[in-house]
Amino acid sequence: METGVDLAGPEGRAGREGRMKYFTSSDGLKLAYFDEGSGMPMVCLPGLSRNSEDFEPVAAAFSDRARIIRLDLRGRGESEYDKNFSNYNVMVEARDVVELLDHLGLDRAVVFGTSRGGLIALALAGTERGRLSGIIFNDIGPHIDPTGMARIVRTLGILPPEETLEPYIRRFAAESAEQFPGVTYEHWRTYVSRTLQETPDGLEYRYDTKIRDAVLASLEAGNWPDLWPLLDQCEGLPLLLLKGENSDILSYETAEEMHRRRPDMDYVIVKDRGHIPFLDEPEAQAAIGKYIEALKN
């Protein structure tokens, strides 16, 4: 399955940056966000090393029905890097979300969380339940499959050996083909170029590579909490779970347990996708549209 994409290039990125807005967190970091459309507020939170550009398909499809607010988490995209890498943790990032809501004068919002963003949504359910109108989980749940986590850690913050994007993208596409059959080079170019860019000195990440240090420190400490009680804190909130059919982060067992605990949660499998669905897939867009319409009524 393949859908059309808006390729990210220098001119396109410059145009997006021109629409970006900023606020300052309570600990002094300048954080970037988009605020587009009108209606029900929906705060979109990207994955561990990703940024707000991953939600471009959501903004393009639904800003006529909802207010799509896309945040670059601290240390990612156009947001400032934190001098203390230990602040790259879910609780600090959840505080940033609350401060963004305060900055915008919003009492509540739906949180649309991809991977790490979904964990932030769970943290908010435990600490700021009253600020949530609902949650959309994109390929994430209270349990992370160790296989997928190990895959992420192998490359997180470590620059690839290639000096330019094209050979790296071709290798990345080949290595991802099992989880993402049929995805074109152009589609992968869009996805990869959101977090990796060419510079005169070679390839460079568009995120703080010290995020790796924060993740490794957390894994070495072995202090990963039990997140299932946080899902239970979501009782009464409208929920939607999008699961990549071939995901190595969100297992079918975890997704089924989430649905067992919350049988009212909409649960959609996105065909031919691993971790993560791109959010331009027909079934993903249909589910998001249905979710928005249900909250409006």
Side-chain angles (χ1 to χ4, degrees):
M1 175 180 60
E2 182 61 33
T3 59
V5 293
D6 177 21
L7 295 183
E11 292 183 5
R13 180 156 295 144
R16 285 190 292 271
E17 290 173 1
R19 303 195 316 273
M20 261 187 162
K21 300 179 180 180
Y22 299 88
F23 77 103
T24 302
S25 68
S26 57
D27 58 352
L29 261 66
K30 184 179 178 182
L31 304 182
Y33 67 97
F34 289 101
D35 187 356
E36 300 161 303
S38 60
M40 177 191 69
M42 179 180 288
V43 176
C44 300
L45 306 177
L48 178 64
S49 61
R50 306 293 301 177
N51 59 60
S52 59
E53 293 176 17
D54 279 350
F55 288 94
E56 286 179 354
V58 175
F62 302 108
S63 59
D64 61 337
R65 285 170 267 180
R67 182 177 175 182
I68 308 299
I69 302 160
R70 299 181 280 143
L71 177 64
D72 279 355
L73 297 168
R74 58 176 59 212
R76 289 84 158 179
E78 303 305 314
S79 287
E80 285 189 339
Y81 292 6
D82 199 313
K83 294 178 180 179
N84 179 1
F85 72 76
S86 66
N87 286 332
Y88 295 129
N89 70 72
V90 167
M91 297 310 298
V92 170
E93 291 160 4
R95 185 189 70 198
D96 290 340
V97 174
V98 173
E99 291 178 359
L100 174 59
L101 293 178
D102 292 342
H103 171 74
L104 296 173
L106 295 173
D107 292 330
R108 297 193 305 163
V110 170
V111 173
F112 191 156
T114 289
S115 195
R116 171 71 156 230
L119 299 181
I120 295 171
L122 283 174
L124 290 168
T127 61
E128 297 283 349
R129 171 68 169 71
R131 305 301 295 268
L132 300 176
S133 302
I135 300 174
I136 301 177
F137 297 103
N138 184 21
D139 208 59
I140 193 66
H143 176 74
I144 297 175
D145 192 299
T147 302
M149 192 66 213
R151 172 183 59 79
I152 289 172
V153 169
R154 278 196 298 271
T155 59
L156 179 67
I158 299 174
L159 286 170
E162 291 86 355
E163 295 183 356
T164 59
L165 276 173
E166 182 174 351
Y168 171 72
I169 294 169
R170 295 200 181 281
R171 176 169 65 86
F172 185 87
E175 293 174 352
S176 304
E178 185 175 356
Q179 281 195 24
F180 293 83
V183 175
T184 66
Y185 171 85
E186 288 76 17
H187 206 149
W188 281 125
R189 185 180 188 279
T190 299
Y191 182 80
V192 169
S193 65
R194 288 171 178 160
T195 59
L196 189 64
Q197 61 189 357
E198 291 184 9
T199 76
D201 298 319
L203 295 178
E204 182 179 275
Y205 284 122
R206 296 181 60 222
Y207 64 85
D208 187 351
T209 56
K210 289 189 177 295
I211 291 172
R212 175 181 180 84
D213 297 332
V215 170
L216 291 179
S218 178
L219 292 174
E220 289 169 4
N223 58 356
W224 192 257
D226 179 8
L227 300 182
W228 287 105
L230 297 181
L231 182 67
D232 297 335
Q233 290 292 316
C234 298
E235 183 177 358
L237 288 175
L239 303 182
L240 167 62
L241 173 63
L242 304 172
K243 180 197 172 346
E245 181 182 35
N246 306 318
S247 176
D248 62 357
I249 287 289
L250 178 65
S251 68
Y252 275 98
E253 291 79 8
T254 297
E256 291 293 338
E257 176 62 13
M258 292 173 72
H259 198 219
R260 186 192 70 79
R261 292 185 182 223
R262 287 300 311 274
D264 56 330
M265 176 182 72
D266 284 344
Y267 171 28
V268 175
I269 295 174
V270 184
K271 182 176 171 57
D272 292 339
R273 294 293 183 260
H275 184 79
I276 52 173
F278 300 134
L279 303 177
D280 61 356
E281 301 88 358
E283 59 265 56
Q285 294 236 327
I288 297 166
K290 177 184 174 185
Y291 180 91
I292 291 173
E293 290 303 315
L295 282 189
K296 287 169 60 177
N297 295 330

